[in-house]
Amino acid sequence: MLRLILTCVQVFTSFVIVGLVLLQRGKGAEAGAGFGAGASGTVFGARGATTALSRATAVFAAIFMINSLALAYLGTSSSRQQEVQKTILDEAATPPPKPVPATGSSAPASVPATPPPAAPAPTPTPAPAPMLPTWWNW
């Protein structure tokens, strides 16, 4: 439950940081102020928007970093607790149990005295001779 809450906080703060960074002006935005583009930035005052957005970005970045550390700690502590459980690879590495005889008797099945006849080995076919071009044989 705690991991779910921290994951939601992580996603929320990441979206807020992206939005705040996109709202801020770049360093080249002051060049347009000399040509009349500076009037649009007077909503927060001369320096108010830059300071407020920068501080909000710093606060959400700190929350994001602390939340990342908390999620990493929860991830490593839960993996230590789950070491006892077997994974699929562990189960695949263990041999399957011996089958129980279906006859109901506890005596082992009889082993044949002679091994079954082996199939004859196929004879290898010789490789074909390489085909040389006609101009090769002068």
Side-chain angles (χ1 to χ4, degrees), residues 96-101:
K98 299 279 183 181
V100 178

Side-chain angles (χ1 to χ4, degrees), residues 72-138:
Y73 177 74
L74 283 177
T76 56
S77 66
S78 66
S79 67
R80 285 186 212 141
Q81 294 172 356
Q82 293 177 355
E83 285 179 2
V84 178
Q85 296 177 354
K86 285 188 173 184
T87 63
I88 296 174
L89 295 174
D90 292 334
E91 292 177 6
T94 58
K98 299 279 183 181
V100 178
T103 59
S105 66
S106 61
S110 62
V111 179
T114 59
T123 58
T125 58
M131 299 292 291
L132 298 175
T134 57
W135 56 269
W136 190 265
N137 298 331
W138 298 6

Side-chain angles (χ1 to χ4, degrees), residues 15-122:
F15 284 133
V16 170
I17 290 172
V18 169
L20 286 172
V21 168
L22 290 176
L23 285 175
Q24 293 179 18
R25 287 188 190 184
K27 290 188 177 185
E30 288 87 25
F35 301 106
S40 63
T42 59
V43 174
F44 292 105
R47 305 271 301 164
T50 307
T51 307
L53 291 177
S54 297
R55 286 187 183 178
T57 305
V59 167
F60 278 105
I63 292 171
F64 184 83
M65 288 180 202
I66 293 170
N67 198 16
S68 297
L69 291 173
L71 281 171
Y73 177 74
L74 283 177
T76 56
S77 66
S78 66
S79 67
R80 285 186 212 141
Q81 294 172 356
Q82 293 177 355
E83 285 179 2
V84 178
Q85 296 177 354
K86 285 188 173 184
T87 63
I88 296 174
L89 295 174
D90 292 334
E91 292 177 6
T94 58
K98 299 279 183 181
V100 178
T103 59
S105 66
S106 61
S110 62
V111 179
T114 59

